[in-house]
Amino acid sequence: MSQYLSPFHLLDNTSIEAMPTDVSMFRRVKKEILTEFELQEVTTIDIGSQAFDKDALLKFFDQLEREKQLDLHLKVYKNKVLLDFLELGSLDFFKMPHYFEKLVADEVLFKFCLPYFIPRFNEILFDSARKMDIRMMRLLSKHSTMFSQKMENMAFQKTYRYFKGKSLDLEHSSNKILNSYVLDSELMNFLHPSLISVFNLLPSPFFDMLRDEYANRLENLAINLQNTARRTDMAIEALESGLELKTSENTRNRLNHILRQLQPNTGKTTILKKRKKRTSQQSNRQDWEAIAFWVVLIALLAWLIIKVIA
């Protein structure tokens, strides 16, 4: 990942405010640092939050001279929220009202930041999706609408691969049903409401085809569960999950058609309410199972300790 580092970390704030910032100032700093390498016999030096050896430091200064964009580096340095995002991946930048809009409006600065901004966004969107952080996903997705098509390919890359992997895993689990029993817990990983919510928050049209693909595989899962395993409840759960996804009308019609065959006398609203209730019950059951496991484990350890002491 291209990681941004402001050259102004090399100067103290007094120097930045008191003197005009030009390349000559950094040439002097470069000489001072190289002298420090020789006199103190150090192998690395810290700039900001990054450590540099001598070769990396020389490359850093060479790039700085080639860029001739100190004025933009200074703009970034004075915008602490933007600086912290580019250097450290801090999410405060997206929590501040209109900060992203202002950055996009400054076309020259935005273009300068893009090589560092997009890889950071790619990482935090993926991390939020993986953790099923709905609040952060909602925030990031809202801002992602300002990306061009070319930017989208880079900004959504890891998240796209993550959900593509989920879709392939879903297909694998669906095919396993044809030959063996698959636990409910394995299948619920693909049906969890938070996963579906996060998937829906990802921007259109970039993720539309992938959502349709996922819903189609949920349809196949439901068919295999019903026809091969005779597990109607889980088949219904899979279909309901697919209906919660933002998909094409054709995909929704197919899911609804199969669902009506499995539950001919149940309306759509009732079905979805039942899904939420069942999901909540299953979550609570899993919590109680975890508590019971730890209670038994602690009791067993206590019994062993008492036995050893006796």
Side-chain angles (χ1 to χ4, degrees):
M1 181 176 73
S2 300
Q3 190 166 340
Y4 180 74
L5 178 67
S6 174
F8 286 92
H9 289 301
L10 296 165
L11 309 175
D12 58 51
N13 290 328
T14 306
S15 301
I16 295 169
E17 297 297 333
M19 295 183 287
T21 50
D22 55 26
V23 176
S24 62
M25 179 187 295
F26 285 97
R27 286 179 186 147
R28 290 195 297 273
V29 173
K30 176 182 174 182
K31 287 181 180 178
E32 291 172 6
I33 293 176
L34 291 175
T35 302
E36 185 177 336
F37 265 107
E38 292 174 7
L39 294 177
Q40 297 189 23
E41 296 183 352
V42 292
T43 56
T44 62
I45 189 167
D46 292 335
I47 303 175
S49 60
Q50 300 180 40
F52 286 74
D53 60 22
K54 191 173 181 179
D55 287 341
L57 189 69
L58 289 171
K59 287 178 183 176
F60 177 72
F61 278 108
D62 287 345
Q63 181 181 345
L64 195 61
E65 290 210 33
R66 286 197 309 272
E67 282 180 344
K68 297 181 171 57
Q69 292 181 316
L70 278 178
D71 56 329
L72 296 174
H73 279 292
L74 184 58
K75 262 190 171 182
V76 172
Y77 186 75
K78 288 184 174 181
N79 186 338
K80 178 164 173 53
V81 180
L82 175 59
L83 178 68
D84 286 348
F85 172 70
L86 295 179
E87 289 190 338
L88 306 172
S90 169
L91 297 175
D92 289 344
F93 177 78
F94 293 99
K95 297 175 183 177
M96 303 295 286
H98 310 301
Y99 263 54
F100 186 57
E101 290 87 342
K102 289 176 184 175
L103 175 62
V104 174
D106 189 337
E107 293 182 12
V108 176
L109 181 61
F110 188 45
K111 185 177 179 181
F112 170 75
C113 291
L114 273 179
Y116 314 104
F117 191 98
I118 293 295
R120 279 290 185 197
F121 189 92
N122 187 27
E123 288 290 336
I124 63 172
L125 185 71
F126 163 67
D127 194 51
S128 300
R130 185 175 54 82
K131 293 176 179 175
M132 294 193 281
D133 186 341
I134 294 174
R135 180 174 171 275
M136 185 51 61
M137 284 297 301
R138 189 174 286 117
L139 195 61
L140 295 173
S141 296
K142 181 182 74 172
H143 288 96
S144 67
T145 57
M146 296 190 179
F147 291 146
S148 68
Q149 187 174 355
K150 184 179 179 181
M151 293 179 208
E152 284 181 340
N153 291 333
M154 297 180 287
F156 305 151
Q157 186 183 72
K158 290 191 75 170
T159 306
Y160 185 91
R161 288 176 179 172
Y162 172 72
F163 277 98
K164 184 68 175 180
K166 279 279 185 187
S167 181
L168 292 170
D169 289 343
L170 170 58
E171 182 181 42
H172 176 68
S173 292
S174 178
N175 291 336
K176 273 170 60 179
I177 292 169
L178 299 174
N179 301 308
S180 60
Y181 186 85
V182 179
L183 294 173
D184 284 4
S185 57
E186 178 179 337
L187 298 177
M188 283 304 297
N189 287 330
F190 305 109
L191 314 179
H192 198 286
S194 294
L195 177 71
I196 302 298
S197 296
V198 166
F199 211 166
N200 281 336
L201 286 169
L202 294 168
S204 297
F206 194 89
F207 285 91
D208 286 349
M209 286 183 64
L210 188 54
R211 275 189 286 260
D212 261 29
E213 176 189 288
Y214 197 87
N216 290 335
R217 285 175 173 164
L218 286 174
E219 177 187 337
N220 291 334
L221 172 65
I223 291 170
N224 290 344
L225 282 166
Q226 177 63 19
N227 294 345
T228 303
R230 301 299 176 190
R231 294 163 67 183
T232 305
D233 284 349
M234 281 304 297
I236 290 171
E237 195 85 27
L239 292 168
E240 290 170 358
S241 298
L243 284 168
E244 288 175 13
L245 276 172
K246 291 196 299 187
T247 57
S248 66
E249 186 176 352
N250 184 48
T251 299
R252 295 187 65 79
N253 287 340
R254 284 202 323 274
L255 292 169
N256 267 317
H257 175 70
I258 299 170
L259 188 55
R260 280 195 296 270
Q261 290 180 320
L262 296 182
Q263 286 196 340
N265 300 317
T266 307
K268 176 184 170 186
T269 304
T270 306
I271 289 169
L272 293 178
K273 282 182 180 177
K274 283 185 176 181
R275 163 166 160 76
K276 290 178 181 177
K277 184 178 179 182
R278 281 198 303 272
T279 304
S280 175
Q281 288 172 343
Q282 179 159 1
S283 177
N284 291 336
R285 186 168 63 251
Q286 289 172 344
D287 289 343
W288 281 110
E289 286 173 356
I291 292 169
F293 170 79
W294 285 108
V295 167
V296 170
L297 182 62
I298 291 168
L300 180 61
L301 288 173
W303 178 78
L304 287 171
I305 291 169
I306 292 170
K307 191 173 180 181
V308 169
I309 292 173

